[in-house]
Amino acid sequence: MNRKIFVVSAAWGHDRVRAAGGQIAMLPVAAAAGADGIEIRREMFNEQELARLPALAVALAEHHLLACYSAPDPLCLADGTLNPALPGLLDEAQTLNALWLKVSLGHFSDAQTLDVLREWLAASGVRLVVENDQTSCGQLPPMQRFSAACQVQRLPVTLTFDMGNWLWVDASPENAARHLAPFVSYIHVKAAAPHDHGYRAVPPDQGGTRWRDLLRALPADVPRGIEFPLEGDDLTAVTRRYVALLREE
């Protein structure tokens, strides 16, 4: 199976990415590690980098890397309305030639908002995936309601399943996988270890075997993203190890 493996740029650490020269400077690392693509994180850009998205798109193509674009924005605001920033984010994703834009769900409450969302997506031509985040909006019931509404309205919006985030909201990842697997088109792979009064992300092979069982409960043919710390003197070697692990598992 030619499973696609993405590296989430934040996995290398914000400080290390910034010191290297920004996300564009990490493309050679991802390519040399054998990754298929990279998840570009909007929150890691400064204003100058945002203005140079076309150059980043060219660099991605030169390194033969696919891209997805992640924005730290909700689909729906606190009052249930669609986030008016979404068309602009879709335009940025289109500039990057990204396969999809990833956002969190936010306060989804009214299926009628999906009619407007359909128009925005049709205008951009960019796919949208919605992630379970580490807030109450990322719990299983709202994610189920949203997925069901998309099914009823035949809206081609799917889910990013973040394996670790369920623990942050005191939910069972395995239970979530049983209910949401048919709607999942992208998986954020990470394990979580207890830390202070919560959790911290850790590489999956440092978190027991639970991650392997969870992956088996999710679609086997969807892209997987490395979203756990990639640390070490040789970032390319460390990244290559986990790219291979996630591709084979």
Side-chain angles (χ1 to χ4, degrees), residues 155-184:
L155 187 68
V157 176
T158 51
L159 303 181
T160 294
F161 188 100
D162 188 296
M163 294 168 56
N165 282 355
W166 300 106
L167 299 177
W168 267 264
V169 297
D170 196 27
S172 162
E174 292 79 11
N175 186 47
R178 281 193 293 271
H179 287 91
L180 297 178
F183 311 113
V184 171

Side-chain angles (χ1 to χ4, degrees), residues 117-204:
L117 180 58
R118 187 190 308 276
E119 295 174 3
W120 289 355
L121 295 177
S124 74
V126 175
R127 291 167 51 200
L128 182 71
V129 299
V130 175
E131 180 182 24
N132 58 294
D133 64 7
Q134 297 176 8
T135 73
S136 60
C137 299
Q139 292 178 335
L140 181 57
M143 299 299 290
Q144 284 183 287
R145 287 194 297 270
F146 174 72
S147 297
C150 289
Q151 287 292 106
V152 169
Q153 298 217 13
R154 300 184 183 276
L155 187 68
V157 176
T158 51
L159 303 181
T160 294
F161 188 100
D162 188 296
M163 294 168 56
N165 282 355
W166 300 106
L167 299 177
W168 267 264
V169 297
D170 196 27
S172 162
E174 292 79 11
N175 186 47
R178 281 193 293 271
H179 287 91
L180 297 178
F183 311 113
V184 171
S185 65
Y186 180 41
I187 302 170
H188 266 182
V189 179
K190 66 172 178 255
H195 181 69
D196 293 336
H197 300 293
Y199 293 90
R200 61 183 177 88
V202 297

Side-chain angles (χ1 to χ4, degrees), residues 12 26 35 44 57-58 61 85 92 155 170 176 184 191 204 207-208 213 228 231:
W12 290 302
M26 305 307 294
M44 293 177 67
V58 171
E92 291 172 4
L155 187 68
D170 196 27
V184 171
D213 295 333
F228 48 83
E231 300 170 332

